[in-house]
C-alpha cells in the first residue's frame, strides 16, 4: 500500500470541523503529504503517530501539497519543514494568504509526484482562489474543501480575492462533475464522496437558489444595497445568527451574487 492513506488530524476546538483528512503517499520509507493540518501540538502528535504506523516519520517527508491556505490544512507544514527536507507546494492564488513558508506554486495541469506516482493538479477556484484538487486516477480525486460530503463549503474565504468566486466555484463544480464523474472524492473533512456529480449538483443548486433570491429582491427593489439585500436571503441558521467573520462572509457573498445577477 503506497497510499493515499488517510490520517485524521484533530483541530483545536472552534467553529470548524473537528479533524482534517491528511493523505500520506509512501515511497519506500519516504513519504509525501497532502494537507498536514493545523499548527498545534495535538495535531503534530497525531501526524507523528500516523506516520509511525506507516513505518515512516516526519523527518522523511519529501513533498507537502496543501489543497488551500486555510489554517486547518497548510500551517502544520511549517513544523514538518523544520524537521525534514520537505518542499511545501500551494495553489497559485493562495500564496498571499499563506501564513507559513511556501516553496513552490501549483497551477491547473501541473504534475507533482506523490509517493511513487505522478499526480495531475486540477485547479478548483471558488472556496479560495488557489484551491486545487489532485487527480489520482482510479484511486480517486483529492478534493480539499472544494467538495465535502456533509458540509456546504464556504465560497471566497480568503483575504485576497479577485473576480467573482461564486462564478468560479460554479464553473469548478461543472468541470468536476463532467471530467471526474466516476472518481471517489477524497475530501478535506469527513467521509469519502461516492457520487461526485450529484454532490456537485446539490452544491450548485444551493448557490443558484441564493442567486435567484437576490434577483427576486432586486426585482422588487432595483436599487437595494448589499446591506439591504442580505437580511432578506435564506441563511443556514438564520440571518440573526451571523456574527463577525460569518457576517462579513455573508455580506461578501451577497455582493458577489448581486454582481452575478447584474451580469
Ligand atoms: Zn478545511
Amino acid at each position: 500500500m503506497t497510499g493515499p492513506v488517510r490520517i485524521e488530524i484533530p483541530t483545536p476546538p472552534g467553529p470548524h470541523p473537528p479533524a482534517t483528512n491528511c493523505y500520506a503517499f509512501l515511497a519506500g520509507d519516504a513519504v509525501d503529504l497532502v494537507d498536514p493540518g493545523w499548527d498545534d501540538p495535538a495535531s503534530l502528535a497525531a501526524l507523528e503517530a500516523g506516520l509511525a504506523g506507516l513505518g515512516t516519520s516526519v523527518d522523511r517527508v519529501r513533498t507537502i501539497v496543501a489543497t488551500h491556505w486555510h489554517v486547518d490544512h497548510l500551517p502544520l507544514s511549517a513544523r514538518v519543514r523544520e524537521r525534514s527536507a520537505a518542499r511545501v507546494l500551494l495553489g497559485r492564488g493562495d500564496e498571499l494568504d499563506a501564513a507559513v513558508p511556501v516553496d513552490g506554486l501549483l497551477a491547473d495541469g501541473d504534475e507533482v509526484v506523490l509517493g511513487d506516482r505522478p499526480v495531475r493538479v486540477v485547479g478548483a477556484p471558488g472556496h479560495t482562489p488557489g484551491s486545487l484538487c489532485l487527480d489520482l486516477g482510479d484511486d480517486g480525486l483529492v478534493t480539499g474543501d472544494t467538495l465535502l460530503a456533509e458540509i456546504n463549503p464556504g465560497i471566497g474565504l480568503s483575504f485576497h480575492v479577485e473576480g467573482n468566486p461564486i462564478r468560479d466555484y460554479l464553473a469548478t463544480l461543472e468541470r468536476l462533475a463532467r471530467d471526474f464523474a466516476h472518481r471517489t472524492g477524497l475530501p478535506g473533512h469527513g467521509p469519502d464522496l461516492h457520487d461526485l456529480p450529484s454532490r456537485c449538483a446539490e452544491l450548485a443548486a444551493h448557490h443558484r437558489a441564493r442567486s435567484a433570491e437576490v434577483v427576486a429582491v432586486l426585482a422588487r427593489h432595483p436599487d437595494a444595497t448589499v446591506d439591504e439585500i442580505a437580511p432578506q436571503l435564506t441563511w443556514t441558521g438564520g440571518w440573526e445568527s451571523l456574527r463577525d467573520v460569518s457576517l462579513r462572509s455573508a455580506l461578501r457573498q451577497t455582493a458577489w451574487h448581486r454582481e452575478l445577477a447584474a451580469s
Side-chain angles (χ1 to χ4, degrees):
M1 180 75 166
T2 56
V5 180
R6 175 186 296 194
I7 303 174
E8 280 198 18
I9 308 292
T11 57
H16 44 257
T20 298
N21 296 330
C22 168
Y23 296 97
F25 298 78
L26 295 164
D29 63 358
V31 64
D32 301 316
L33 300 176
V34 174
D35 285 352
W38 204 292
D39 184 4
D40 178 75
S43 307
L44 180 58
L47 179 63
E48 286 171 331
L51 292 179
L54 298 173
T56 184
S57 56
V58 164
D59 58 321
R60 303 273 166 85
V61 177
R62 302 182 307 188
T63 298
I64 298 173
V65 178
T67 59
H68 59 297
W69 68 268
H70 282 169
V71 66
D72 52 337
H73 294 261
L74 167 68
L76 189 56
S77 63
R79 298 289 148 254
V80 177
R81 195 171 174 274
E82 285 167 5
R83 288 165 49 183
S84 66
R87 266 170 57 78
V88 178
L89 306 175
L90 182 69
R92 187 177 298 281
D94 272 14
E95 68 274 18
L96 293 175
D97 283 314
V100 297
V102 170
D103 302 296
L105 298 177
L106 297 170
D108 185 56
D110 284 351
E111 209 172 79
V112 59
V113 173
L114 295 177
D116 53 7
R117 73 177 87 191
V119 169
R120 188 160 60 96
V121 173
V122 180
H127 181 61
T128 66
S131 276
L132 49 83
C133 298
L134 298 164
D135 181 15
L136 309 179
D138 290 343
D139 285 333
L141 181 77
V142 175
T143 65
D145 287 0
T146 296
L147 289 181
L148 301 171
E150 297 169 344
I151 301 169
N152 189 344
I155 308 302
L157 299 181
S158 287
F159 297 102
H160 298 84
V161 174
E162 285 179 14
N164 191 312
I166 293 171
R167 184 184 286 124
D168 292 345
Y169 188 61
L170 290 172
T172 291
L173 292 177
E174 207 174 294
R175 178 183 179 195
L176 295 182
R178 183 188 64 228
D179 294 351
F180 303 97
H182 303 295
R183 299 279 199 283
T184 297
L186 307 174
H189 307 281
D192 290 353
L193 297 121
H194 296 290
D195 186 347
L196 249 59
S198 74
R199 186 62 179 138
C200 288
E202 279 172 12
L203 292 167
H206 170 84
H207 292 289
R208 292 219 167 83
R210 191 166 282 159
S211 275
E213 287 187 319
V214 173
V215 169
V217 172
L218 288 171
R220 294 193 301 271
H221 309 288
D223 298 326
T225 64
V226 166
D227 288 337
E228 290 163 347
I229 296 169
Q232 302 185 56
L233 308 180
T234 307
W235 299 98
T236 314
W239 172 252
E240 303 298 332
S241 74
L242 297 171
R243 300 265 182 282
D244 305 323
V245 175
S246 52
L247 178 60
R248 283 201 298 280
S249 170
L251 290 170
R252 290 171 94 195
Q253 287 191 48
T254 302
W256 292 323
H257 280 294
R258 187 172 187 269
E259 187 199 297
L260 274 189
S263 64

